[in-house]
Amino acid sequence: MGYQQELRRQYSTLQIFAIAFSIMGLVPSIASTLAFSLPAGPAGMVWGWFTASILIFFVGLTMADMASAMPTAGGLYWWTHYFAGDQYKNPLSFLVGYSNTLGLIGGICSVDYTLSLMILACVSIARDGNWTASQGTIYGLYAGLICVHAISTILASHIMPRIQTFCIYINIAIVIATVIALPVGKVARGGTLNPGSYVFGHVENSSNWPTGWTFVLAFLSPIWSIGFFDSCVHMSEEAMHAARAVPKGILFSAGSACVLGFLLLSVIAASMDPNVANTLGSTFGQPMAQVYYDALGKTGALGFMAVLIFIQFLIGLSLIVAASRQTWAFSRDGALPFSSFFRQISRRIRYQPVNAILGLAAVCIVFGLLCLINSVAANALFSLFVASNYVAWGTPILCRLLWGAPRFQPGEFYTGKLSRPIAWVAVVWLVFGLVLSMFPSVKNPQPNDMNYTIAINGFVWIACMLYYFLFARKWFRGPQTTLQPGMEQ
């Protein structure tokens, strides 16, 4: 594909899967997004996850087709450039590269901000709900976590593949533990489990949207949670037998999220307070903390939240690894400011893009200053990763459908005759999900209820295109060959 091998191939198929599976972190991700799905009641929460996760799996299938055929760290913008019509190649690949990079940055911010809230929620539980963190406290903890993640990623590079393997086991263990502990704890404390008719058939409407649309808004939980299987693509140049390992990592992570998430949410719905408002309005600041507290008491809730905090930390670690590879790849093609700095590989620290990691940390700390305004401003920033990633995922798929059919040569994984129909389903879903991510949670919202995703992402996309047409079009030519004459990959 024209690139000299600069990173070290040390990740097995299992460890490539682990990167995406770890970033998804099902239990902490679901814990962070219950507020999206609970307003539709238990049935909306459970079936909303099932429906959306199946459609997201179609995206994974399509991405796996292309990742097997053309595995490279900057896959999304590389594919866009390869498939797009000649006059659209450079601007579209430039847009996708920036959208993907900023989406990953938004993901890092979101994960560490949520981790801060989870840690502070434990403090609130320990004080019986009589303490609430200030915005300054939240930001200070957030900035500290960003620094710890960056330093840990650099210093632990020699054991990072093993850390990713460990992530698989601890994520599956917390799913199993939650599935067993919640119903057992609820019964042991004298409570009763909600019946199947409640879990799978009880729809509520805690918003002022029509009930049907409130159910659709529950799709936001899986949209936010199953959002980073493209991280397998960014690890392509460190994967052993990438044409096989990367598509397997994408499909295993998306598929396991669908099945395990449905199981987990079903158990949560069976174990939670049947009065949804009590869980949504938790004094602990997180509905999942309230679910644990109701079923397991104070000690049990603190124990499970401590494990979730540890897993959330590992999510941030895996995400900054994947994001640094995309940043490095995009810099390798000269697209980012200071590309010559960010594209450097440290030979002293096991061939890691150290400069890209440090640059990501600095940008995330600056962006996180929005936390000091209020939670609405913070959420506007963190919504960046959903909309930006959906544009970055959908554009190369659409380019392949419109222009790239003659150029596509299947790799080891290929969905055959179903490839194009699956790709069209993926595109339609991504467009719908993109629009959905911009809806406010309530009808006729006040400023504090407004969803500012369109403002943040609109600014990013417009600024990116202005930068391209005013300056970058003079020198950006898409993916660049780094192989010297006579070199072989």
Side-chain angles (χ1 to χ4, degrees), residues 100-329:
N100 194 203
T101 303
L102 289 169
L104 289 164
I105 289 172
I108 296 170
C109 294
S110 178
V111 165
D112 277 7
Y113 183 72
T114 301
L115 177 56
S116 303
L117 295 180
M118 292 172 74
I119 293 172
L120 297 171
C122 284
V123 177
S124 179
I125 292 174
R127 298 186 181 184
D128 299 313
N130 296 320
W131 178 83
T132 303
S134 67
Q135 296 300 130
T137 301
I138 295 171
Y139 175 74
L141 181 56
Y142 160 85
L145 289 168
I146 291 287
C147 293
V148 171
H149 270 136
I151 294 170
S152 300
T153 301
I154 294 169
L155 297 182
S157 60
H158 62 293
I159 59 170
M160 193 59 69
R162 280 177 284 171
I163 290 175
Q164 298 309 317
T165 303
F166 170 73
C167 287
I168 297 175
Y169 300 119
I170 192 169
N171 274 283
I172 292 177
I174 191 63
V175 171
I176 295 172
T178 299
V179 165
I180 294 174
L182 284 182
V184 170
K186 186 72 177 288
V187 173
R189 287 169 58 84
T192 57
L193 298 179
N194 300 317
S197 58
Y198 177 85
V199 173
F200 300 110
H202 182 71
V203 177
E204 288 197 14
N205 187 358
S206 300
S207 76
N208 58 358
W209 287 109
T211 301
W213 189 246
T214 301
F215 180 89
V216 172
L217 287 172
F219 292 178
L220 286 171
S221 178
I223 285 174
W224 280 69
S225 300
I226 315 175
F228 285 107
F229 47 76
D230 64 312
S231 57
C232 298
V233 176
H234 304 315
M235 301 301 295
S236 294
E237 294 178 44
E238 291 166 89
M240 295 181 285
H241 204 117
R244 181 176 63 230
V246 175
K248 283 186 175 180
I250 293 170
L251 297 179
F252 290 166
S253 56
S256 60
C258 174
V259 175
L260 294 177
F262 180 78
L263 172 64
L264 186 62
L265 285 166
S266 298
V267 172
I268 291 172
S271 307
M272 62 185 262
D273 188 327
N275 187 340
V276 174
N278 291 341
T279 304
L280 271 175
S282 172
T283 58
F284 304 134
Q286 275 216 331
M288 193 65 191
Q290 188 67 51
V291 172
Y292 280 130
Y293 186 87
D294 291 342
L296 305 173
K298 179 178 177 179
T299 303
L302 284 172
F304 268 89
M305 288 298 291
V307 177
L308 291 190
I309 286 169
F310 178 62
I311 295 175
Q312 187 81 353
F313 179 84
L314 294 177
I315 292 173
L317 196 65
S318 300
L319 184 52
I320 203 168
V321 169
S324 65
R325 273 50 175 184
Q326 159 62 21
T327 303
W328 167 78

Side-chain angles (χ1 to χ4, degrees), residues 385-407:
F385 86 86
V386 174
S388 291
N389 274 344
Y390 269 40
V391 167
W393 295 356
T395 304
I397 298 173
L398 185 61
C399 288
R400 177 195 155 195
L401 289 170
L402 296 180
W403 297 293
R407 305 195 66 189

